[in-house]
Amino acid sequence: MHLSTLSKQLDQAAQEVAITWPLYTYVTSNPLSGFENQPFKQAVDQAAQRFQASVFPSARAFRQAWEQGAIKPEVLSPLLQAGGFTATPAYYLEQLERETQREGLHENARLDRMMIKWLSAFLDEGLAEWQMPGKEQGFFKAWSALAPYDQELNLGRASLPKTATAALEEMLKGNSAKEVDEILRYHLSALPGWTGYIKYRSEQETVWQQAFPLELKDYLAVRLFIAKHWGEQVLPVPNKTTSSNHDLQLIWLRAWEASWQQDLVEQLQNGREEHLKDSTPGKRAEAQLVFCIDTRSEAIRRHVEAQGNYETFGYAGFFGIAMDYKNPDTGLQRKSCPPIVGSAYLMSERPKPERGAAYKKHQKRVEHRHFADYFLRRMKNMLPSAFGFVEGSGFYYGLAMLARTLFPGALFRSKQKNSSSYESHCDPILHAASSAELETSLSVDEQVGIVKSAFDLTGWKEFAPLVVFAGHGSHTANNPYGSSLDCGACAASPGRHNARMLARMANSTKVREALRPYYDIPEDTVFIGAEHNTTTDAIELFDAEVPATHQQQLQALKQHLKQAQQAATQARLGTERSIATAEGKANDWADTRPEWGLARNAGFVVGPRSLTQHLDLEGRCFLHSYDWEDDTEGKALEGIMQGPMTVTQWINNHYYFSTVDNDRFGGGSKITQNITGKFGLVQGNGGDLKFGLPLQSLQQNDDELYHQPLRLSVLIQAPAQRISQILERNPAVKQLLDNAWIYLLVMDPTENNQVKRYCVDGVWKKIGTEPLPQKVDAVANETEVIEVLTV
């Protein structure tokens, strides 16, 4: 086989494997992203067979939804009839419950275990005290040097190929192109977590990859060589594992989704009517707060608005700044924007002249902490000191554990009170990512573009004296999934740095002057960066530069934000001492569910706050501010559909597949997880690398779901014609809709806000006007049913 042909086939096969993101930069993404070019039904059927996975909600989930009224009979029954299922819903529910779930290991379980052993050793990022020798030569060469000493491999006198390419060509010799393609896909999908992490390292060109290179071809070369040496299965035997009930499951899923859409549309229409009743012109807002579109922002926005004359907006949590952030404490640089966006900028910190002493004091504390961490680690790991250290320090560690167990909230408050952050004594500096000059900030034109884009996308009209850009982050203890509770779309980075940078730009006199033709920002408007802690619902204002003229308003805002925190945590946790309870959960090392994250997400509403302001959406909707009348060319909406809508689909599918098959696509139970190599998790002492969410983030208990696995329903208030034009210019976005990965509804203001549904190839149908056909071939064309779903 020609080398270029093999390379091309490998690239195509690798598209089926989604990236596995490391724990420290966890990204919520669709594990079937490589299948998005296919209709949803066809894609999940293939994935079920490829990964030996469940791809639809369980019968138990459908039973719970049916009994709780989340699946409406008037929606389900016509869909069953249209699909050719003529019996009662109860009959088909029992049929689903009788189905035997798939069990068992991968056919090549022994081969999988061998590969996991070698990958764990090679990919380790500092967890192991002794490193695998020869890693700098790359995986294949390092393995070749050590493999003859592995008694389990039992190579004997077997001759090892010199290179990975030579090994692959030798192992695949004699197979047709079709067979080669199937071999590659089969063996890449055997351990999708590990191969997904190899894909991450090679595509992101991490520092670990540069030091210790590993490509998918190296992995396959070793795997196929061992398989042939052991006489294991190389070319897979055809094995159809998809459920015979997939068509029925899909109809139940559609009915569940359509029932939820019905409730959402009804809520939004009622909320709009409430707004029209109260639409008398109001006085200037005392403060405006911009939160991330994250579902957890929906609740806190309601409670902030209830405290006074406050206005809130929803905007993507990286605040339109495609940047990396360099942490002065560690020197590490990490992404602080969605992975689909290239980082154009780098943000760093510079001590304020008047706060130099405070900065030096902070740096000294950081140095002491680093030394203490290094010293303790060496004492624990060095052979001469290990036993004595454990014996001598056990008493103090025991006291510390006892305090963390009995008084987690008190320790959290003490830590917060005594902490010192860079926001108080440093200025953020933003410069081009390619620039070596850390002191070189962006030009005024670049800053104007970033600030103007933020105002354009949110439909801004007037400015309050205080404008707060509130990024969000989370605080948890002893939680390997901690970064997944930060901004799930922004490589697990908190939004505080982006929010602070945008506020600094918007406060610039030169930027404001250049913005005047577009936005007349009053002289008394001050922009402030902030962070919303989603575990405790506290909102920290980075207000070191707020002038004395605004101090009274600032103190009033802080008091009201504290009251909003009390109301939000009480509604969420159901206890009067809700703030203390939330702080305790944030610092409790034994709490497996410090917060729910984005669980129960199901919708994305793009429109003015008037659509949702009077509603309690139960934290189930992403909310992006948008005013169609100000966006005459549709450019702002196009940006929202290209970016935030695509990213929310990632998040939604991440939760969906983690729920429907937690073993294959999720993370399993936190109770039996172990960290491997500092970058990933496995169940017990081995197995595939986990790339989804744990059970505790998805279920109330062993039997009851918390997250409802529904595909994302997007509702936009804008002219349908404008959206059609955007879709024609963006085939990748249109493909997600045509293939039913996303539902799209539009509330068309040019037609009295009639709600329409997007159907295949740009067709719009008014909801409730299309009768169901007599019979629909659910297997051949899912979209035929989607087009006629009534709400």
Side-chain angles (χ1 to χ4, degrees):
M1 176 178 290
H2 195 275
L3 182 58
S4 61
T5 304
L6 177 58
S7 179
K8 184 177 179 180
Q9 282 192 286
L10 179 54
D11 289 341
Q12 291 174 341
Q15 290 178 9
E16 288 189 354
V17 178
I19 284 178
T20 300
W21 299 87
L23 291 173
Y24 46 78
T25 181
Y26 195 87
V27 174
T28 46
S29 57
N30 184 2
L32 300 189
S33 57
F35 295 82
E36 288 176 356
N37 61 343
Q38 302 176 42
F40 180 81
K41 172 64 164 56
Q42 179 181 328
V44 296
D45 278 350
Q46 286 191 22
Q49 187 166 347
R50 180 71 65 194
F51 301 111
Q52 299 183 5
S54 298
V55 289
F56 289 108
S58 66
R60 178 183 292 176
F62 287 135
R63 168 73 68 183
Q64 290 176 359
W66 176 251
E67 292 178 348
Q68 294 167 3
I71 301 176
K72 301 183 179 183
E74 63 270 25
V75 175
L76 175 61
S77 294
L79 286 176
L80 286 172
Q81 293 288 331
F85 297 94
T86 57
T88 64
Y91 172 85
Y92 292 115
L93 191 54
E94 290 174 1
Q95 178 178 322
L96 291 176
E97 289 173 330
R98 287 194 298 268
E99 180 181 310
T100 303
Q101 297 297 313
R102 58 113 182 100
E103 295 179 354
L105 296 169
H106 193 275
E107 295 92 331
N108 284 330
R110 182 187 176 204
L111 179 59
D112 291 343
R113 285 196 298 270
M114 177 58 68
M115 292 308 301
I116 291 166
K117 179 178 76 173
W118 285 98
L119 288 173
S120 299
F122 184 86
L123 290 170
D124 182 83
E125 296 180 3
L127 185 64
E129 187 68 16
W130 291 350
Q131 293 293 306
M132 176 179 175
K135 288 170 62 173
E136 66 282 352
Q137 300 178 68
F139 180 68
F140 186 83
K141 288 187 176 180
W143 172 82
S144 297
L146 297 174
Y149 304 101
D150 188 333
Q151 294 184 2
E152 186 181 0
L153 269 178
N154 192 24
L155 292 179
R157 297 183 178 180
S159 177
L160 293 172
K162 298 295 184 185
T163 65
T165 302
L168 269 181
E169 290 179 331
E170 182 181 332
M171 297 305 110
L172 296 172
K173 187 167 52 180
N175 292 287
S176 67
K178 184 178 180 181
E179 289 172 335
V180 167
D181 182 67
E182 189 56 32
I183 289 170
L184 296 177
R185 293 176 190 273
Y186 173 77
H187 287 278
L188 286 176
S189 63
L191 295 171
W194 286 101
T195 54
Y197 190 64
I198 297 171
K199 188 174 179 180
Y200 161 79
R201 290 220 338 186
S202 59
E203 290 186 5
Q204 299 295 317
E205 277 296 318
T206 67
V207 292
W208 290 99
Q209 176 71 4
Q210 293 170 10
F212 312 118
L214 167 59
E215 304 287 345
L216 286 173
K217 68 175 182 179
D218 304 320
Y219 166 82
L220 285 170
V222 172
R223 183 182 177 94
L224 295 182
F225 181 89
I226 296 174
K228 281 215 168 182
H229 177 71
W230 280 354
E232 298 278 356
Q233 189 70 40
V234 173
L235 180 64
V237 176
N239 178 25
K240 185 172 177 58
T241 59
T242 54
S243 165
S244 59
N245 283 327
H246 272 196
D247 301 336
L248 186 56
Q249 289 173 302
L250 183 58
I251 287 177
W252 276 81
L253 175 62
R254 290 190 195 115
W256 195 354
E257 292 163 340
S259 299
W260 189 83
Q261 289 172 7
Q262 185 181 73
D263 291 338
L264 175 65
V265 171
E266 185 177 340
Q267 277 188 289
L268 293 176
Q269 289 175 333
N270 292 340
R272 183 174 169 276
E273 290 175 6
E274 283 292 314
H275 174 73
L276 291 175
K277 292 178 186 176
D278 303 335
S279 59
T280 54
K283 61 180 181 179
R284 184 187 184 194
E286 296 174 18
Q288 295 164 313
L289 297 95
V290 186
F291 290 91
C292 180
I293 63 174
D294 190 287
T295 57
R296 291 166 291 182
S297 300
E298 188 265 325
I300 195 64
R301 288 177 64 181
R302 283 187 282 109
H303 292 294
V304 167
E305 290 166 345
Q307 302 307 315
N309 184 19
Y310 296 129
E311 185 178 7
T312 69
F313 296 84
Y315 186 42
F318 72 108
F319 293 96
I321 308 177
M323 71 179 207
D324 287 353
Y325 175 72
K326 187 173 184 179
N327 189 323
D329 286 358
T330 63
L332 296 177
Q333 180 177 319
R334 62 182 294 180
K335 205 167 182 63
S336 192
C337 62
I340 60 173
V341 178
S343 297
Y345 308 111
L346 175 64
M347 177 180 160
S348 56
E349 305 278 1
R350 179 177 61 188
K352 296 177 182 178
E354 70 277 13
R355 298 285 293 171
Y359 175 77
K360 289 180 180 178
K361 188 176 180 181
H362 175 84
Q363 287 293 94
K364 191 62 78 173
R365 283 198 299 269
V366 171
E367 290 173 9
H368 289 163
R369 187 172 69 245
H370 285 175
F371 175 76
D373 290 344
Y374 170 79
F375 178 77
L376 292 176
R377 187 170 64 252
R378 297 307 298 163
M379 289 290 287
K380 285 190 293 184
N381 293 338
M382 286 173 57
L383 192 59
S385 60
F387 293 101
F389 175 78
V390 171
E391 293 291 336
S393 63
F395 174 75
Y396 300 100
Y397 272 94
L399 286 179
M401 182 173 289
L402 188 64
R404 290 169 60 198
T405 303
L406 298 179
F407 312 108
L411 291 176
F412 175 84
R413 289 186 288 275
S414 175
K415 184 178 179 180
Q416 295 294 104
K417 183 178 180 181
N418 296 317
S419 66
S420 174
S421 62
Y422 280 104
E423 286 79 14
S424 62
H425 49 254
C426 283
D427 289 325
I429 300 297
L430 194 70
H431 52 90
S434 59
S435 172
E437 297 288 336
L438 293 186
E439 298 297 317
T440 304
S441 58
L442 303 191
S443 68
V444 172
D445 287 345
E446 288 177 294
Q447 295 181 57
V448 168
I450 292 171
V451 177
K452 181 178 180 297
S453 178
F455 296 153
D456 287 348
L457 264 66
T458 50
W460 214 292
K461 289 182 171 64
E462 297 179 348
F463 294 85
L466 295 175
V467 177
V468 178
F469 298 123
H472 67 97
S474 178
H475 185 107
T476 60
N478 190 35
N479 183 12
Y481 283 96
S483 66
S484 72
L485 298 176
D486 288 324
C487 189
C490 297
S493 294
R496 63 193 296 148
H497 311 300
N498 304 65
R500 191 160 153 250
M501 194 67 244
L502 183 59
R504 183 171 177 80
M505 291 180 186
N507 281 327
S508 165
T509 303
K510 292 181 179 179
V511 169
R512 290 194 187 201
E513 187 61 36
L515 279 172
R516 198 165 299 281
Y518 314 100
Y519 295 97
D520 189 8
I521 303 173
E523 290 186 7
D524 70 339
T525 293
V526 175
F527 296 90
I528 307 171
E531 183 174 72
H532 169 215
N533 185 329
T534 54
T535 315
T536 66
D537 275 318
I539 299 175
E540 179 185 5
L541 301 180
F542 307 135
D543 55 4
E545 297 181 5
V546 175
T549 54
H550 289 62
Q551 287 302 315
Q552 186 174 349
Q553 292 167 302
L554 180 67
Q555 294 309 312
L557 175 61
K558 286 185 175 181
Q559 180 61 34
H560 286 146
L561 292 180
K562 189 71 174 179
Q563 293 169 358
Q565 179 191 14
Q566 173 67 41
T569 52
Q570 189 166 338
R572 178 159 55 92
L573 300 173
T575 174
E576 289 188 7
R577 297 188 69 254
S578 56
I579 293 179
T581 301
E583 290 172 343
K585 289 176 73 66
N587 207 43
D588 187 347
W589 69 275
D591 196 321
T592 58
R593 191 186 296 121
E595 65 156 287
W596 280 111
L598 293 111
R600 300 188 80 229
N601 75 83
F604 181 26
V605 180
V606 180
R609 181 57 172 155
S610 58
L611 275 183
T612 56
Q613 190 166 9
H614 298 275
L615 304 176
D616 179 359
L617 296 174
E618 301 177 326
R620 302 202 64 185
C621 289
F622 302 93
L623 301 179
H624 200 302
S625 297
Y626 173 72
D627 192 322
W628 70 276
E629 292 181 289
D630 293 336
D631 185 32
T632 54
E633 297 181 5
K635 294 230 176 128
L637 182 57
E638 186 167 5
I640 294 171
M641 294 176 69
Q642 288 173 327
M645 191 175 86
T646 301
V647 170
T648 51
Q649 181 266 144
W650 278 14
I651 295 170
N652 173 265
N653 275 304
H654 191 88
Y655 274 82
Y656 174 92
F657 287 107
S658 290
T659 303
V660 298
D661 193 332
N662 196 255
D663 180 43
R664 295 294 189 268
F665 300 123
S669 175
K670 283 185 175 182
I671 298 169
T672 51
Q673 285 174 342
N674 281 304
I675 294 176
T676 182
K678 286 190 174 182
F679 60 83
L681 288 164
V682 295
Q683 278 289 318
N685 63 354
D688 195 17
L689 202 62
K690 295 301 180 182
F691 51 88
L693 296 157
L695 284 169
Q696 287 80 3
S697 293
L698 306 165
Q699 296 193 190
Q700 293 269 22
N701 49 51
D702 290 344
D703 299 319
E704 188 177 358
L705 287 179
Y706 181 78
H707 178 71
Q708 296 180 6
L710 308 175
R711 283 172 288 184
L712 186 70
S713 296
V714 180
L715 186 143
I716 303 174
Q717 188 187 44
Q721 183 181 6
R722 179 180 299 176
I723 296 175
S724 294
Q725 293 169 348
I726 291 171
L727 292 175
E728 288 304 314
R729 295 195 296 268
N730 294 272
V733 177
K734 184 174 182 292
Q735 177 179 271
L736 290 173
L737 301 174
D738 288 342
N739 288 338
W741 292 91
I742 299 177
Y743 291 107
L744 178 59
L745 308 173
V746 60
M747 184 179 283
D748 195 330
T750 64
E751 296 187 27
N752 198 30
N753 283 292
Q754 169 71 48
V755 178
K756 304 176 184 178
R757 179 188 302 282
Y758 176 87
C759 301
V760 180
D761 292 330
V763 176
W764 294 94
K765 293 186 178 178
K766 292 182 180 179
I767 285 179
T769 62
E770 295 296 322
L772 285 166
Q774 294 292 315
K775 177 78 167 62
V776 172
D777 186 348
V779 179
N781 189 359
E782 179 190 357
T783 55
E784 289 184 39
V785 177
I786 291 175
E787 289 179 7
V788 296
L789 277 175
T790 55
V791 176

